Amino acid sequence: MEIEVVEGDITRQQVDAVVNAANRGMRGGGGVDGAIHAAGGPAVLEDCVRRFPDGLATGDAGWTTAGDLPARWVIHVVGPNYNAGERDRSLLTSCYRRALEVADQLGARTVAFPLISAGIYGWPKEDAVDAALETLRTSTTDVELARIVAFGRPAYELVRSRL
Ligand code: AR6
């Protein structure tokens, strides 16, 4: 699998699936989650309600339609909330691994990832990048391209330096 980094907005990515950094409730939120629901439109929330009546566990992944986004699917993951004391790193790496498993189930070959837990959930950025890269590098998957979408220049430079 090729791993690349771009600077940009995950809602603009022309890929098979975009990954959303959601929360356990799975009913939208701020950050990437807010941007994906805003750009994807109400179909994304409707599908969340239908597929995740009880939400989703931390470290797990599931999918919905991408609604009006250029992608075909949204793969939702729930990263650990570092600020709330969830600091088990395996919960963070699990998000990347589970997202690739869901991508394989869907037949998605190109997948765009945000830096899960690195925003509102407060995971230290450098380690969030390393956890993402390590997990993507060591996972066995049919996904051909993992694109890390860095939000802003500093995030882009950080990912590039760790790559
Ligand atoms: N495209 C790409 N990256 C983005 C975008 C975007 N449009 N917007 C923000 N980022 P966050 P989390 C970056 O906070 O830390 C929500 O309320 C951001 O700079 O979106 O996992 C959910 O509902 C950071 O590097 O996700 C949850 O409650 C990264 O994406 C909670 O926030 C992740 O930041 C999840 O927090």
Side-chain angles (χ1 to χ4, degrees):
M1 179 173 68
E2 185 190 340
I3 301 172
E4 68 174 16
V5 56
V6 301
E7 181 189 346
D9 180 340
I10 200 151
T11 65
R12 310 290 289 272
Q13 305 302 311
Q14 310 247 358
V15 286
D16 295 334
V18 295
V19 173
N20 180 24
N23 58 61
R24 287 200 299 267
M26 286 291 289
R27 299 294 180 267
V32 175
D33 199 9
I36 284 177
H37 279 274
V44 178
L45 182 59
E46 279 162 27
D47 214 16
C48 281
V49 170
R50 200 161 62 84
R51 291 180 192 278
F52 306 101
D54 304 315
L56 193 63
T58 304
D60 202 2
W63 65 277
T64 66
T65 175
D68 298 330
L69 294 171
R72 242 176 112 181
W73 301 286
V74 176
I75 297 174
H76 304 262
V77 302
V78 181
N81 186 346
Y82 189 93
N83 287 331
E86 287 183 318
R87 298 185 180 184
D88 177 354
R89 198 171 186 265
S90 69
L91 291 171
L92 181 55
T93 56
S94 169
C95 289
Y96 290 92
R97 200 166 295 111
R98 285 286 303 128
L100 291 172
E101 284 172 11
V102 171
D104 283 342
Q105 287 164 15
L106 292 166
R109 295 288 181 263
T110 55
V111 181
F113 291 84
L115 289 173
I116 299 161
S117 291
I120 293 164
Y121 279 178
W123 200 280
K125 285 197 173 26
E126 219 167 88
D127 192 55
V129 172
D130 288 347
L133 294 176
E134 273 164 43
T135 312
L136 293 172
R137 279 189 180 126
T138 55
S139 294
T140 303
T141 173
D142 294 328
V143 172
E144 290 162 3
L145 174 69
R147 176 182 297 164
I148 297 175
V149 181
F151 198 55
R153 202 69 193 173
Y156 174 77
E157 296 295 352
L158 176 63
V159 179
R160 273 207 40 170
S161 73
R162 309 306 283 185
L163 253 178

